[in-house]
Amino acid sequence: MQPWPRTEEEARAVQDLLRAQVVAEPGPASPATVAGLDVAYSADDDRLAAAVVVLDAADLTVRDTAVVRGKPAFPYVPGLFAFREVPALLDALGKLTVRPEVLICDGHGLAHPRRFGLAAHLGVLTGLPSFGVGKTRLVGEWAPVGETRGSRSALVDGGEPVGAVLRTQTGVKPVFVSVGHRIDLDTACALTLRLAPRYRLPETTRAADRVCRDLLG
DNA sequence: GCGACAG
DNA sequence: ATCTTGTCGC
């Protein structure tokens, strides 16, 4: 992605162009490796650190870690969030020696105004299966989610299902799971639950968050 | 015009 | 995202 958009209009045009490349398919139900991606920012919002941590999906042990420092590539604008972190995340992905089979992003995939959030964006650019696990909603409505771990409710926007509101821990606020590229929602939710045996967020996200956070502080 | 608004 | 103390609970 050489000509990085410089205006919101250009960014939206890029999304409208790339979203046509999203592939909907079953996806790996039992991947051997899964990657968590996250970015941390300095207080002044001038610098950032992006991290990718690859875990063994069987025992959640760390197989590889890559982290890079850089600057935000775009201002934060809801709906255009990916343009801010994608360059740094691609740099980090390029430093990996272990190829992850699935990318798990901190944000949304198709649960986006134009159905092309960060997870979908990274999936298309890398060609890897990807999905997003967000902490808060960007778009959509949903019916109350059951209180027990594993309960889920359809996330619907504009009359169409765009993701799931999934309870990863009983009695804890649910997360927002949405498909990005080359994977289906049920598989994404199953993987998310498998990766979150104890905490609200999947270990992939927690591991990446911790790594980029201390490379900054 | 008034909210909502991934990280 | 980040700025920030204490506090309630297991």
Side-chain angles (χ1 to χ4, degrees):
Chain A
M1 60 338 295
Q2 317 302 49
W4 205 246
R6 288 144 117 261
T7 67
E8 297 185 19
E9 294 65 32
E10 291 177 2
R12 291 192 196 90
V14 170
Q15 293 182 322
D16 290 334
L17 193 66
L18 294 180
R19 67 178 171 184
Q21 292 178 41
V22 169
V23 172
E25 57 179 45
S30 299
T33 56
V34 290
L37 302 79
D38 193 26
V39 174
Y41 296 85
S42 59
D44 52 37
D45 200 60
D46 208 17
R47 297 174 299 115
L48 63 74
V52 181
V53 177
V54 180
L55 302 183
D56 183 304
D59 57 16
L60 308 190
T61 55
V62 178
R63 290 285 309 284
D64 194 10
T65 298
V67 57
V68 299
R69 302 201 314 165
K71 303 189 55 106
F74 206 80
Y76 172 67
V77 179
L80 300 180
F81 175 58
F83 294 96
R84 194 171 168 70
E85 309 189 334
V86 161
L89 288 172
L90 288 179
D91 280 353
L93 281 167
K95 297 179 67 178
L96 292 176
T97 57
V98 175
R99 281 291 125 194
E101 291 178 26
V102 180
L103 261 35
I104 301 176
C105 310
D106 190 17
H108 299 96
L110 302 189
H112 174 279
R114 287 171 296 286
R115 306 294 180 260
F116 199 69
L118 175 65
H121 206 136
L122 280 172
V124 166
L125 263 40
T126 61
L128 294 170
S130 70
F131 67 92
V133 177
K135 297 180 289 295
T136 62
R137 78 141 228 173
L138 172 56
V139 298
E141 312 80 45
W142 64 96
V145 188
E147 286 300 314
T148 62
R149 168 180 155 81
S151 297
R152 58 185 272 193
S153 183
L155 179 61
V156 181
D157 182 51
E160 53 183 279
V162 296
V165 183
L166 178 69
R167 187 88 64 180
T168 54
Q169 293 299 321
T170 298
V172 174
K173 179 187 304 190
V175 296
F176 300 76
V177 179
S178 63
V179 160
H181 182 62
R182 301 183 53 200
I183 195 168
D184 61 273
L185 187 58
D186 284 346
T187 299
C189 285
L191 264 175
T192 298
L193 283 173
R194 193 184 308 172
L195 295 170
R198 172 157 190 201
Y199 299 102
R200 180 192 180 216
L201 298 176
E203 290 303 316
T204 37
T205 298
R206 286 165 50 76
D209 178 77
R210 179 181 170 179
V211 170
C212 64
R213 180 129 40 171
D214 52 42
L215 179 137
L216 208 56

